[in-house]
Amino acid sequence: MKTLLIAEDEPILRMLIADTLEDEGYKLDEAADGEEALQKIRETKFDLIILDYMMPKMTGIEVIEQTRRLENRQNAKILMLSAKSQQSEQEKVLHAGADGFMSKPFSPLELIDKVEEMLRG
């Protein structure tokens, strides 16, 4: 069973993402801000980390940069979610070390497809 972290500060969106992925059989953990996400990343090796771009305490970019510096976490798969869908933002996210990018809003099927694609490698 694959373990995923969902770091999203909007409770309703976090719940929708969690419900969608739980229905697909994934084991999930959740974080409501960047600091909480980074603490969980330090404690657990996730198969995929799903990060919101704009979060309190620490942005998704900052979480990626910190994660890439952690021993045994440099190769963690990271998917960034953002309402900022401009090409320049996507490039910034990928340059920071994300493995994938999804623009908000997205459909549950799009999310499932992207998660499965990233977990396949």
Side-chain angles (χ1 to χ4, degrees):
M1 179 181 289
K2 301 284 186 185
T3 304
L4 282 57
L5 174 64
I6 302 165
E8 166 63 59
D9 62 316
E10 295 291 332
I12 292 171
L13 184 53
R14 191 172 63 244
M15 182 189 72
L16 290 171
I17 294 168
D19 288 349
T20 297
L21 295 174
E22 276 180 340
D23 289 347
E24 295 299 308
Y26 295 109
K27 182 180 175 195
L28 304 174
D29 199 351
E30 299 178 23
D33 61 56
E35 283 183 2
E36 184 181 8
L38 191 57
Q39 184 59 42
K40 289 179 183 247
I41 291 165
R42 285 186 179 112
E43 295 167 358
T44 305
K45 191 168 185 176
F46 295 98
D47 295 293
L48 178 65
I49 300 163
I50 301 172
L51 291 175
D52 181 27
Y53 189 104
M54 299 299 296
M55 291 185 290
K57 300 184 182 178
M58 188 181 276
T59 68
I61 295 275
E62 292 169 320
V63 174
I64 291 171
E65 292 170 346
Q66 294 284 329
T67 298
R68 295 297 183 221
R69 292 187 196 118
L70 293 173
E71 191 173 332
N72 298 321
R73 299 294 185 271
Q74 295 94 343
N75 297 322
K77 295 270 188 188
I78 300 174
L79 172 61
M80 180 72 81
L81 306 177
S82 179
K84 297 181 174 195
S85 59
Q86 300 91 338
Q87 185 66 31
S88 61
E89 290 299 324
Q90 291 182 35
E91 289 170 7
K92 185 192 306 185
V93 164
L94 297 173
H95 182 73
D99 300 290
F101 182 92
M102 277 189 73
S103 297
K104 294 180 188 178
F106 49 83
S107 75
L109 287 176
E110 286 176 302
L111 178 63
I112 292 165
D113 287 348
K114 187 69 171 179
V115 166
E116 289 176 353
E117 171 191 321
M118 291 185 70
L119 289 172
R120 279 194 304 270

